[in-house]
Amino acid sequence: MTEYLVRRFIQSLIVMFLISIVTFGLIHAAPGGPTQIFLSPGLSQEAAKAQAHNLGLDRPLPLQYLKWLGGFLQGDLGYTFKNHLPVGQILWPTVGHTMVLMGTSWLLSLFIAIPWGIYNSTKAYGWSDQTASFISYVGFAMPTFWFGILLQELFALKLNWLPLSDMWAIDKEGQIGDLLLHLVLPVSVLTLGFLAGYVKYARTSMLEVLEQDYIRTARAKGVRESRVIYRHGLRNALIPIITIIGLDLPILVSGAALTENVFNWPGMGRLFVEMALAREYSVLMAITIVTAVLVIVGNFIADLLYALVDPRVQLGRKGGTAA
Amino acid sequence: MNEATTQERQHAAAVEPGWSNRNEGAAVSKSQSGVRLSGKLPKRPPGLWRTGINKFRRNPYAVAGLFVLILFIALAALAHYIAPYDPARIDLLNADAPPGTGNHLLGTDELGRDIWSRLLFSGQVSLSVGFAVAFVSVLIGTLVGSISGYFGGWIDAILMRLVDVMNAVPLLFLNILILAIFGSKFSYMILVLAFTSWMGVARLVRGTFLQLREMQYVEAARAIGVSNTGIIVRHLLRNATVPIIVTATLMVGGAILSESALSYLGLGIQSPDTSWGLMLSNAQEFMLLDPLQALYPGMCILIVVLAVNFVGDGIRDALDPRKQPVAERRRWSAWSRFLRSRT
Amino acid sequence: MEPLLTIKDLTAGFATDNGAVKAIDRVSLSIGKGQTLCLVGESGSGKSVTSLAIMRLLEFAGGRILEGSIRLAGNELTDQTQRQMIRIRGNQMAMIFQEPMSALNPVFTVGDQIAESIRLHQRKRKSEAKQMAVDLLRMVGIPDPETRARQYPHELSGGMCQRVVIAIALACRPELLIADEPTTALDVTVQAQLLDLLQQLQRELGMSMLLITHDMGVAARMADQIAVMYAGVVVETGSVEALFDQPAHPYTVGLMQSVPSMEGERLSELRTIQGHVPSLHALPAGCRFHPRCPHAMPRCTSEAPPMMTVGTLQQAACWLYGDVAAGFAGAPDSDNGEAGG
């Protein structure tokens, strides 16, 4: 266990290191690169040089990277070039906002999708299954942001039932009730997106399990059908579902750039797009690294869940063949 | 008893009204021709492709999807001849005309541009992005997967870690980052989208290679001195073709969606060019004035992607020899991961 | 004495795109108390379908019993609902399967899986059932059963897993045990041990056994009665001695010729019979074996032979033994397979 944790930690560090180098490299490979952007326009050649020197932009790239890394390790994410704000101050609140939005949608979709998908597997090709299929196909073929726009048109503009966008009304900042109202539309959009995949996934993985020999053994023992499904089948069917859940955890935080943009939700996804358009490289760098950390944490949690559900999996090595 | 058990399992998989067996298997194809030959054993069971085409033709969703797709491709290809107006022609006098005004089949937008013409030309852009991305990422994926699967060892290890890392990064972020840095040209967009969607194909090709590497006819080919490339091309790639085609259809739809998303964010197609995503982005600003403007391009995307998916599912059901639930689960997982990385 | 299990004219099948297929057609069998009936045949001959039909598990495999009767200790199984069947399955009759590794649920300990079987049919407390599970493991010859009970299937070898499967099946002392190729997936030495174990347990518990196998060696060793199936029909039944001494049906003869010796080890494939088992979708008219039969007569191509008495303990469905047309073709004798001892 300790060995596994240590090995895992070192692996993660290497991955993060690579990601940061690649991002840093990408940013500095840009035509003109930050050098152009960081400098105030209309400077004379000499003044520009002086400013570049002050900002450390005339030094070789590896040195610049090391400087950034040093700052990062001390918790210094750098400053925006526009208003010279600390990046952390901009970034951290958006992480929270995104988690509120994505967490709600994600949990909601899981709570609907898993029982529904499993029910559908027992009544494959029944009307409920067909409905789920329809939702999945449409959900997958539809641009989510378009669905968001349509919902806005209908519920916010036409019917005036729900707020059009943002997280709070201007005068009600911090009120939970208002937050919930603002959540309804974006959560609906995101839940549909998640649901489309999860419900089909839960169904097919359960169908696969129901074909296994041990299910026949259970029936031969005289286990009643509901117990066959919920006791003998469910835990096995959850194994592949957990994989997907683990892979999704980072997206919960990196967020829904599109949905956040449609609904003007002050989350990390929207921040990323905004900063990308403004070429605020220090913010982009920070978001990339934060996301990478979350990816790694997500994978780790998925591994733990795996080991919890599947006795064949011991942390660090996977035994046996997956069902 | 293996034969009987496989059959039983297949039946368990397809418990549906009418008890139809949607699986492919030697027993089934034999039986079909057996029935046609009124009880006599067939001389030779029809080949995979032949039965595949028959199965595809009997799948109404797949046929309808193919038909719709061909229709959209034709409309987009002939946009120059069909479109009544130049899609970029601004006519402020006729701005926001309702559908059916004069020659404007679907009306005009806030700048008086003909919506029908714009839809047609947008289709050109969106569809070419879709197919081009699918093509390029199949190329990249096949290349990486073949190298990985054929050589194995440390080459394989490195390439597969790369795939892992790519799968872990939020791809929309990566797309945005690259396009923001390098600027959004049409060709960049295709490369960037392909660069972030080749992993599925690579995994698949590699997997097929690993399976087939052990098989005897590959050994035999080696023994009679067929060169490495010869083996790859003639024996191995052929076996991966069907799953690759199925995955490629996925990517066509995915790329169309991605294009619309990036264009919506202002990082994709730029005016005066036009695409469905760009039209949507434009429409959102004028939602109150003209809600229909948002409906048309969205419907186009929905219908085309749906059609491509139905065709892909049809091909999978008709030709993919893997057991149905497995193939289906893989497909849905690929889709949902794709989708969720782009919300 | 009435046999424990009597199957009469059992017809079952699957529905497919091209209409229903009968996987077994008017199968009649019976097993006396404490007796072993071996059901022998090639892949696809309908052995497994027969066993699943008896367990009424065929419905879960997409199949259906179309006609016929299955009486277990005077109880008509085809009339039972699935709700009623759960009280019979695992209790009065039990089944073990071919692939021991995949027959056990990977996420539960073997002890739990045995205990579940007990608690389904008997009022026992959890701790009691657990103790009984350990006893059962000891009974099926697993060393250190206390430790093993706490392990998961993947921690056990194939032979051990099959012993666990047997323990599950025997947890409630069934009157009938159906074993579908219980040793096919295992090593030869393990096979022999398990067959010994099954024989010993059968004696101890006094249960009847339906053993399904494609291996004539296994049949010779285990069976009191043998029924030979071909393409969904029973072509010959009889006592093990009669059948091995004087196989009547040409198909059985072919099977016997492929056995190297009576105490045969594992069989190689049945190469001596020309051709292959026909597809259920394209069964030949008349006797289903006639395209491969060295003695085929014109009559064989048009009329399906009924079961005909060959010796005192033996019956075969073959026109070689029917000089006179015995009524309507295809009406099998009802009291075939009478227990010999």
Side-chain angles (χ1 to χ4, degrees):
Chain A
M1 181 72 191
T2 326
E3 191 208 344
Y4 165 75
L5 282 176
V6 170
R7 197 150 44 92
R8 196 59 199 263
F9 184 71
I10 293 172
Q11 274 177 1
S12 311
L13 279 185
I14 294 172
V15 171
M16 300 234 337
F17 185 65
L18 288 177
I19 290 179
S20 68
I21 286 186
V22 169
T23 318
F24 198 84
L26 263 180
I27 285 170
H28 286 265
T35 325
Q36 302 270 295
I37 291 142
F38 276 113
L39 301 181
S40 324
L43 282 182
S44 70
Q45 283 258 319
E46 261 164 47
K49 255 188 190 165
Q51 195 175 353
H53 182 76
N54 280 337
L55 290 166
L57 293 172
D58 57 347
R59 280 188 273 177
L61 272 186
L63 279 181
Q64 287 189 40
Y65 173 75
L66 286 179
K67 183 176 169 254
W68 174 86
L69 188 66
F72 179 79
L73 290 178
Q74 287 160 23
D76 173 18
L77 295 175
Y79 294 86
T80 62
F81 108 84
K82 200 170 176 195
N83 297 322
H84 216 67
L85 293 168
V87 170
Q89 194 186 318
I90 301 174
L91 180 61
W92 297 125
T94 65
V95 176
H97 298 160
T98 295
M99 282 177 125
V100 168
L101 177 63
M102 294 301 273
T104 318
S105 321
W106 187 65
L107 287 178
L108 192 65
S109 61
L110 277 182
F111 276 120
I112 301 173
I114 293 180
W116 194 17
I118 282 168
Y119 173 81
N120 289 345
S121 74
T122 65
K123 303 246 157 65
Y125 305 100
W127 67 267
S128 162
D129 193 22
Q130 304 274 14
T131 312
S133 264
F134 176 80
I135 291 180
S136 299
Y137 273 109
V138 172
F140 273 174
M142 193 165 58
T144 37
F145 64 92
W146 176 63
F147 183 53
I149 293 173
L150 291 186
L151 288 185
Q152 280 180 326
E153 275 186 10
L154 182 63
F155 292 103
L157 298 179
K158 272 250 163 58
L159 300 170
N160 218 1
W161 288 353
L162 292 162
L164 182 70
S165 59
D166 300 309
M167 201 164 163
W168 277 291
I170 299 167
D171 51 336
K172 292 180 181 164
E173 187 140 352
Q175 291 181 16
I176 209 81
D178 194 50
L179 174 65
L180 288 179
L181 275 182
H182 281 84
L183 270 173
V184 175
L185 290 183
V187 164
S188 310
V189 172
L190 288 169
T191 302
L192 184 90
F194 283 129
L195 192 66
Y198 286 153
V199 76
K200 269 281 183 183
Y201 199 77
R203 168 193 182 269
T204 39
S205 72
M206 191 66 179
L207 267 184
E208 235 180 294
V209 165
L210 287 179
E211 275 182 69
Q212 301 295 317
D213 287 352
Y214 53 79
I215 293 296
R216 192 177 52 180
T217 308
R219 286 177 179 142
K221 272 157 86 169
V223 178
R224 61 172 190 278
E225 202 50 26
S226 58
R227 192 176 157 92
V228 166
I229 288 158
Y230 294 105
R231 188 171 154 79
H232 290 261
L234 186 58
R235 237 177 104 180
N236 286 290
L238 282 179
I239 294 170
I241 297 175
I242 285 172
T243 322
I244 286 289
I245 291 175
L247 289 167
D248 278 352
L249 282 176
I251 299 164
L252 295 188
V253 192
S254 68
L258 286 162
T259 313
E260 287 181 359
N261 264 285
V262 171
F263 292 97
N264 203 25
W265 192 268
M268 203 157 83
R270 203 194 66 170
L271 182 72
F272 192 86
V273 175
E274 202 180 307
M275 294 294 130
L277 290 171
R279 302 199 166 193
E280 281 287 2
Y281 292 124
S282 45
V283 183
L284 296 182
M285 198 65 192
I287 293 181
T288 314
I289 300 300
V290 168
T291 318
V293 172
L294 292 163
V295 168
I296 287 155
V297 172
N299 281 342
F300 181 67
I301 293 176
D303 271 9
L304 288 179
L305 279 175
Y306 242 152
L308 208 67
V309 177
D310 189 346
R312 286 165 298 184
V313 176
Q314 283 173 322
L315 285 184
R317 60 195 143 108
K318 284 176 188 168
T321 47
Chain B
M1 282 325 283
N2 288 335
E3 205 173 286
T5 16
T6 331
Q7 206 179 23
E8 284 154 22
R9 285 200 188 144
Q10 285 176 349
H11 280 284
V15 200
E16 55 180 313
W19 293 18
S20 71
N21 186 340
R22 312 203 332 171
N23 293 284
E24 182 148 36
V28 177
S29 55
K30 225 184 262 168
S31 69
Q32 284 161 2
S33 38
V35 167
R36 254 177 247 123
L37 296 170
S38 63
K40 278 179 220 152
L41 280 173
K43 275 180 198 133
R44 194 164 156 256
L48 180 71
W49 290 100
R50 193 66 171 280
T51 28
I53 289 169
N54 280 334
K55 280 193 141 189
F56 189 91
R57 281 211 312 236
R58 272 182 293 165
N59 180 343
Y61 293 100
V63 173
L66 189 62
F67 185 77
V68 168
L69 193 61
I70 290 173
L71 180 73
F72 268 78
I73 292 174
L75 284 176
L78 301 174
H80 275 290
Y81 306 100
I82 301 171
Y85 294 92
D86 177 350
R89 200 191 69 155
I90 295 169
D91 178 7
L92 291 171
L93 290 176
N94 285 311
D96 291 317
T101 318
N103 243 343
H104 300 291
L105 191 62
L106 300 174
T108 59
D109 66 5
E110 77 289 344
L111 295 175
R113 296 175 295 195
D114 181 48
I115 292 181
W116 166 239
S117 305
R118 284 176 70 72
L119 278 180
L120 288 171
F121 279 93
S122 295
Q124 243 176 21
V125 172
S126 294
L127 284 168
S128 21
V129 169
F131 283 98
V133 169
F135 182 73
V136 178
S137 40
V138 165
L139 277 187
I140 302 176
T142 310
L143 194 68
V144 174
S146 315
I147 293 173
S148 202
Y150 191 78
F151 293 104
W154 62 270
I155 298 179
D156 180 44
I158 288 179
L159 289 175
M160 285 304 109
R161 284 300 79 67
L162 181 66
V163 169
D164 285 347
V165 170
M166 286 297 289
N167 273 330
V169 174
L171 296 176
L172 183 62
F173 275 16
L174 200 57
N175 289 338
I176 292 171
L177 187 68
I178 298 175
L179 287 177
I181 291 169
F182 292 98
S184 22
K185 271 192 203 156
F186 184 74
S187 52
Y188 283 175
M189 178 123 123
I190 289 167
L191 286 178
V192 164
L193 286 178
F195 173 64
T196 50
S197 30
W198 54 271
M199 293 82 73
V201 178
R203 272 255 165 84
L204 198 145
V205 171
R206 172 182 175 266
T208 320
F209 269 46
L210 290 184
Q211 261 173 27
L212 293 170
R213 221 158 48 141
E214 311 303 322
M215 286 193 180
Q216 290 190 337
Y217 61 81
V218 179
E219 299 281 318
R222 251 187 217 142
I224 60 169
V226 183
S227 71
N228 275 5
T229 24
I231 298 171
I232 290 184
V233 173
R234 238 164 273 137
H235 295 290
L236 295 169
L237 221 46
R238 192 181 292 167
N239 288 279
T241 310
V242 170
I244 288 178
I245 292 173
V246 174
T247 314
T249 60
L250 257 178
M251 283 185 306
V252 174
I256 291 174
L257 286 177
S258 295
E259 180 277 317
S260 73
L262 290 170
S263 298
Y264 170 76
L265 292 176
L267 286 158
I269 303 300
Q270 307 287 335
S271 203
D273 285 340
T274 172
S275 81
W276 289 328
L278 196 63
M279 287 179 75
L280 270 179
S281 173
N282 196 35
Q284 196 190 12
E285 294 170 40
F286 301 95
M287 237 179 335
L288 256 181
L289 269 167
D290 190 0
L292 280 179
Q293 259 194 57
L295 198 66
Y296 301 130
M299 284 308 280
C300 286
I301 298 173
L302 175 66
I303 291 170
V304 166
V305 178
L306 210 52
V308 177
N309 281 352
F310 281 153
V311 171
D313 276 5
I315 295 175
R316 181 207 65 202
D317 284 347
L319 290 174
D320 198 334
R322 286 180 298 194
K323 273 171 65 193
Q324 201 205 357
V326 180
E328 196 177 324
R329 183 160 67 83
R330 294 223 177 115
R331 187 165 162 80
W332 283 108
S333 93
W335 238 133
S336 45
R337 273 173 67 185
F338 176 86
L339 184 93
R340 268 172 276 118
S341 65
R342 286 170 168 82
T343 45
Chain C
M1 197 171 74
E2 199 202 340
L4 177 73
L5 177 77
T6 314
I7 300 171
K8 229 173 110 181
D9 293 343
L10 183 65
T11 303
F14 302 95
T16 67
D17 279 347
N18 311 297
V21 288
K22 289 177 182 171
I24 53 171
D25 196 0
R26 279 165 294 171
V27 165
S28 297
L29 298 166
S30 74
I31 307 175
K33 287 209 174 70
Q35 295 278 310
T36 300
L37 172 71
C38 270
L39 205 50
V40 184
E42 287 170 86
S43 294
S45 59
K47 297 169 298 179
S48 284
V49 173
T50 310
S51 66
L52 289 175
I54 298 169
M55 290 293 282
R56 290 284 309 277
L57 288 173
L58 196 60
E59 283 102 312
F60 296 106
R64 189 176 287 179
I65 295 174
L66 302 166
E67 267 174 83
S69 117
I70 304 165
R71 295 185 80 81
L72 178 71
N75 214 350
E76 179 56 55
L77 294 186
T78 53
D79 290 345
Q80 310 287 316
T81 60
Q82 284 294 345
R83 195 178 282 268
Q84 290 166 314
M85 280 307 295
I86 60 173
R87 252 171 271 142
I88 299 170
R89 277 201 291 261
N91 194 15
Q92 206 177 355
M93 62 175 174
M95 186 162 178
I96 57 182
F97 301 98
Q98 189 171 358
E99 295 283 343
M101 302 292 248
S102 58
L104 292 173
N105 196 323
V107 302
F108 300 120
T109 63
V110 297
D112 280 350
Q113 296 188 48
I114 303 170
E116 183 189 26
S117 201
I118 296 166
R119 276 163 58 83
L120 282 168
H121 303 289
Q122 295 170 14
R123 287 178 175 275
K124 296 278 187 232
R125 265 177 285 129
K126 241 185 189 151
S127 54
E128 267 182 296
K130 283 223 162 119
Q131 187 50 49
M132 287 171 75
V134 172
D135 294 342
L136 278 159
L137 284 175
R138 189 174 294 121
M139 185 176 89
V140 295
I142 289 186
D144 194 9
E146 285 87 358
T147 315
R148 291 295 181 188
R150 283 193 299 272
Q151 289 186 323
Y152 289 94
H154 73 275
E155 297 170 277
L156 271 53
S157 69
M160 288 253 224
C161 280
Q162 194 61 301
R163 284 169 194 266
V164 173
V165 172
I166 293 172
I168 291 174
L170 299 186
C172 299
R173 316 269 149 152
E175 293 169 60
L176 173 69
L177 178 69
I178 300 175
D180 186 355
E181 309 253 9
T183 57
T184 310
L186 304 170
D187 293 342
V188 186
T189 44
V190 183
Q191 267 187 29
Q193 289 168 9
L194 273 167
L195 291 174
D196 285 344
L197 175 72
L198 277 175
Q199 234 162 2
Q200 172 211 333
L201 290 170
Q202 183 187 18
R203 268 197 300 275
E204 277 172 28
L205 304 175
M207 63 185 175
S208 310
M209 189 149 75
L210 175 64
L211 180 67
I212 291 164
T213 181
H214 65 272
D215 186 333
M216 291 305 276
V218 170
R221 171 178 186 164
M222 302 288 289
D224 299 303
Q225 299 280 316
I226 290 182
V228 181
M229 285 193 79
Y230 180 80
V233 293
V234 176
V235 294
E236 181 165 4
T237 63
S239 72
V240 64
E241 296 83 7
L243 225 98
F244 274 84
D245 277 356
Q246 208 138 45
H249 197 282
Y251 176 63
T252 320
V253 175
L255 280 181
M256 295 296 170
Q257 280 169 354
S258 68
V259 184
S261 78
M262 211 57 113
E263 293 301 312
E265 303 284 276
R266 236 180 95 89
L267 289 180
S268 55
E269 255 147 69
L270 305 166
R271 291 176 206 278
T272 49
I273 306 177
Q274 297 276 310
H276 53 84
V277 182
S279 153
L280 292 173
H281 293 273
L283 289 170
C287 173
R288 293 178 184 189
F289 187 62
H290 84 257
R292 299 170 75 189
C293 183
H295 310 290
M297 303 178 282
R299 187 180 198 180
C300 301
T301 58
S302 55
E303 269 180 275
M307 272 294 192
M308 283 174 275
T309 306
V310 179
T312 40
L313 299 170
Q314 203 174 354
Q315 292 178 313
C318 179
W319 288 123
L320 288 175
Y321 307 96
D323 307 311
V324 199
F328 290 105
D333 214 341
S334 56
D335 49 19
N336 51 0
E338 200 76 65

